[in-house]
Amino acid sequence: MPEIRVYNTLSKTKEPFAPLRAPAVGIYLCGPTVYAEAHIGHMVGPVIFDTIKRYLTHNGYQVTLVVNITDVDDKLIAQSRKRGVPMSQIATEMTADYMANLKELGVNQIDYMPRATDHMDDIIQFIQCLESQGYAYAVDGDVFFEVGKDKSYGELSNRSTDQQQGEGGDAAARKRSPSDFALWKSAKADEPAWDSPWGRGRPGWHIECSAMSHRILGETFDIHGGGLDLMFPHHENERAQSTCCHNAPMVKYWMHNGLMRAGNKGKVGGKNDRDPATESVAEQTEGKISRSKGGGGLAELIRRQTGERLRFFLLRTHYRSTIVFNDEALAEAGTSLEAFYRFFDRFEELTGTSFYDLSAAENREAGAIDPAGDKVLEEAAGLREKYFAAMDDDFNTGAAISVLFDLLRTMNRHIDQSGLDKNTAADSPARATLLSVAGVLRELTSLLGLFVKPVPAAAGGDDGDSGLSDQLMDLLIELRKTARQNKDFATSDAIRDRLAEIGVALLDKKDGTTWERTS
RNA sequence: GGCGACGUGGCCAAGCGGCUAAGGCAUCGGAUUGCAAAUCCGACAUCCCGGGUUCGAAUCCCGGCGUCGCCUCCA
């Protein structure tokens, strides 16, 4: 098995990936607290871990990926009051929004999405486990974790306990130390509540992750992921809870993805002439993206940009680095994606087969190709190696994607140089070579969750009269063809220019002219 | 104040001590095309600054400057 290396936040180094119970791998990714619509930043973790699971699976591992939904929390209660609807309704709505966004981005590798409210028994048992071992104490219906009892507390986020502020408010008086945090919060009269040994109440923020990861993945599991902003206090507290309850390490590898930032890098013309009415959310709020700053509306963003473009945009950069997000950057990602779509068209024209219908290799070994002296295949085999080397190295999707472009060039060059066209014999070696290399591209892009299905036709379609548009276009192309044959280029160019003005591009190719919408 | 990340061509972005510093966007040449588009070929960086370690550093260390994040809710 090839060596995969993973950056572990706990050790601050890349470590060889050696799962506890290979080939089984357990991954727990912190999902959202569902009190508001998701924003683009919420997708970074799901996309990278979806990709990581695809990659590990391809390498022979059997991965269980868990993404939790935290559906009970102070913010949900606040939202519930504000809107005058039950907390559960808000949770249901926002969970649906989150899942719809995941689907649009091609995130389909998640095995479990446990909800905190479905695991109250596990949560209560977990707190009892801590209480019985002296790590937790109850005061007037609240239960707190005593941070001072955990000697390894702070190791993950690299802080000492005397730096901790801990939550203030009315709970402060009941805590033994300011850095202690709530495991269970007693409920006020109008708050959602569950019965517990300490009275009616609800879980604190971190305990649901400890309880649910334990329930599904066990006391110690392989990978725990989440955004960098969760490292403290969330993950530090989770780790303390789980480690103390089980007297065993919680996680072998802690992986944290970088955060996304909104910004105007180009800023030609400065900020003054921006029109808030037409700007995206990202442009309006420079700096950190968060719900409290108005982030959100991801569904709308997806509608404008397509999920694939967003996924590609996220994968272009290494998962641990900060991504500056704005419409220009997204547009650039879209532009570079076009080269693939054009190739897919070209491929289909030449082979009569849709790239999307090619089947990806089952696993890493099965995908290997035998060049048998073919220069083009040798090149492709080398590029495939390069791709895997990049992915083996802490899932370097950015470097891996560069290989995709190399592969594209290899194939286009091969088509150009071999003179392949749609009349080439089906059993010609040049065709076979193209199909082999395309097979590699299919394998490598599937691993990134890219190009799994054709992009929907350009927005603003023809609705009812698409048949008519096609017929009109056929007519215009026919007329222009005649003009060109008569060397009447003034007419042929006029047709093309006028069509361009109304958003239709004509593309003259070897064996005919095609058209497409440009706006 | 404490902790941490980052600074690579016009822009984005790989690189983790040693091949000619990936790839994308943009730009400029060339092939191809009636002209375009697409495609292919080629051009375009010594890596924020200053020291140091080393036979050798974009890559390690120290010191600056700059940007950003966490320390309170946050993917």
Side-chain angles (χ1 to χ4, degrees):
Chain A
M1 204 171 262
E3 182 173 278
I4 295 174
R5 287 154 50 82
V6 173
Y7 184 85
N8 189 346
T9 313
L10 190 56
S11 66
K12 295 186 172 60
T13 57
K14 280 182 200 168
E15 301 175 11
F17 181 63
L20 301 159
R21 295 172 285 272
V25 175
I27 304 179
Y28 185 93
L29 171 67
C30 277
T33 299
V34 283
Y35 70 93
E37 285 186 335
H39 63 250
I40 179 70
H42 289 111
M43 296 293 117
V44 180
V47 166
I48 183 63
F49 281 95
D50 176 270
T51 302
I52 288 172
K53 178 176 170 184
R54 288 169 194 260
Y55 191 69
L56 292 177
T57 303
H58 200 64
N59 279 278
Y61 292 106
Q62 287 154 22
V63 183
T64 303
L65 176 59
V66 181
V67 180
N68 70 286
I69 298 287
T70 297
D71 59 353
V72 49
D73 173 88
D74 291 359
K75 294 220 170 192
L76 270 141
I77 294 172
Q79 195 67 18
S80 159
R81 286 218 182 92
K82 192 173 150 197
R83 287 180 47 192
V85 298
M87 183 175 84
S88 59
Q89 182 183 329
I90 294 181
T92 303
E93 284 174 13
M94 296 309 154
T95 301
D97 170 74
Y98 183 71
M99 307 234 285
N101 293 149
L102 292 182
K103 188 174 177 219
E104 287 297 323
L105 290 194
V107 175
N108 62 7
Q109 300 289 305
I110 299 170
D111 298 291
Y112 297 94
M113 291 190 89
R115 291 157 218 256
T117 54
D118 289 337
H119 289 267
M120 277 307 160
D121 291 346
D122 291 327
I123 289 169
I124 289 166
Q125 278 171 31
F126 208 103
I127 297 172
Q128 287 178 309
C129 171
L130 290 168
E131 194 178 30
S132 67
Q133 296 184 75
Y135 290 109
Y137 56 94
V139 187
D140 302 336
D142 288 343
V143 185
F144 298 101
F145 183 91
E146 189 161 7
V147 167
K149 291 274 174 68
D150 175 21
K151 53 273 151 228
S152 73
Y153 191 86
E155 280 179 7
L156 179 64
S157 57
N158 189 28
R159 324 168 180 236
S160 55
T161 39
D162 53 324
Q163 287 170 21
Q164 318 302 335
Q165 283 306 307
E167 71 187 71
D170 52 347
R174 279 162 282 167
K175 292 187 197 176
R176 292 180 187 169
S177 157
S179 41
D180 293 350
F181 56 90
L183 297 168
W184 189 262
K185 298 179 174 185
S186 57
K188 298 195 180 68
D190 57 342
E191 292 175 345
W194 287 259
D195 287 322
S196 84
W198 314 281
R200 306 259 308 156
R202 62 180 185 278
W205 176 28
H206 321 290
I207 194 68
E208 83 282 16
C209 284
S210 285
M212 296 192 291
S213 64
H214 171 233
R215 161 65 64 194
I216 300 170
L217 297 174
E219 292 187 359
T220 303
F221 53 94
D222 298 295
I223 297 176
H224 189 128
L228 213 46
D229 54 347
L230 292 183
M231 194 163 79
F232 183 87
H234 187 54
H235 290 164
E236 193 69 72
N237 291 355
E238 267 185 59
R239 180 169 176 262
Q241 292 162 351
S242 292
T243 307
C244 291
C245 173
H246 302 127
N247 195 28
M250 179 188 191
V251 168
K252 188 159 182 187
Y253 307 98
W254 286 90
M255 295 177 69
H256 290 96
N257 60 266
L259 302 181
M260 195 167 249
R261 213 155 55 77
N264 298 0
K265 312 156 292 183
K267 60 175 181 287
V268 180
K271 302 175 192 171
N272 297 326
D273 46 31
R274 291 192 291 159
D275 176 5
T278 60
E279 281 183 312
S280 72
V281 170
E283 286 171 319
Q284 287 174 40
T285 53
E286 287 208 42
K288 195 169 90 167
I289 298 178
S290 70
R291 287 159 166 167
S292 58
K293 289 184 75 172
L298 178 55
E300 160 60 19
L301 183 66
I302 289 171
R303 226 169 286 126
R304 279 196 347 254
Q305 297 283 356
T306 77
E308 181 147 273
R309 193 179 280 194
L310 288 171
R311 183 172 180 117
F312 180 78
F313 176 71
L314 296 178
L315 256 17
R316 236 176 24 153
T317 309
H318 187 88
Y319 76 88
R320 275 189 283 120
S321 53
T322 303
I323 304 177
V324 177
F325 163 80
N326 57 36
D327 280 359
E328 296 78 61
L330 224 41
E332 191 201 303
T335 304
S336 52
L337 227 30
E338 299 293 328
F340 289 94
Y341 300 139
R342 277 187 237 106
F343 171 77
F344 298 155
D345 287 343
R346 192 179 195 194
F347 178 79
E348 186 162 356
E349 273 172 41
L350 289 177
T351 65
T353 305
S354 167
F355 178 82
Y356 296 99
D357 290 338
L358 297 177
S359 54
E362 288 279 303
N363 55 52
R364 189 161 174 173
E365 295 75 46
I369 54 173
D370 176 14
D374 184 315
K375 278 258 181 64
V376 175
L377 292 182
E378 271 170 17
E379 201 176 306
L383 290 172
R384 187 172 176 274
E385 286 305 306
K386 202 173 153 193
Y387 175 99
F388 281 109
M391 289 296 283
D392 285 345
D393 184 11
D394 196 29
F395 312 105
N396 191 339
T397 55
I401 281 176
S402 79
V403 175
L404 266 29
F405 284 95
D406 291 335
L407 229 30
L408 214 50
R409 180 177 301 113
T410 299
M411 285 189 281
N412 277 321
R413 188 197 292 133
H414 173 244
I415 294 168
D416 287 354
Q417 292 181 349
S418 67
L420 255 181
D421 64 34
K422 60 179 160 191
N423 299 317
T424 305
D427 59 351
S428 80
R431 234 177 104 104
T433 296
L434 175 62
L435 285 165
S436 293
V437 183
V440 173
L441 184 68
R442 175 67 286 173
E443 177 195 17
L444 304 189
T445 54
S446 294
L447 283 175
L448 295 171
L450 293 172
F451 316 129
V452 294
K453 58 174 191 275
V455 280
D462 301 318
D463 297 320
D465 75 341
S466 63
L468 181 59
S469 295
D470 285 345
Q471 291 176 45
L472 289 172
M473 285 308 302
D474 286 348
L475 175 60
L476 283 168
I477 288 171
E478 184 67 37
L479 289 171
R480 179 161 170 276
K481 186 181 174 186
T482 306
R484 291 177 74 202
Q485 282 168 348
N486 297 333
K487 307 261 188 238
D488 177 10
F489 297 122
T491 300
S492 69
D493 288 350
I495 292 173
R496 187 172 59 194
D497 293 346
R498 294 289 299 277
L499 284 172
E501 283 170 25
I502 54 178
V504 174
L506 288 183
L507 308 168
D508 296 328
K509 297 175 184 172
K510 233 186 221 168
D511 35 21
T513 298
T514 60
W515 63 280
E516 64 186 27
R517 288 170 184 278
T518 55
S519 59

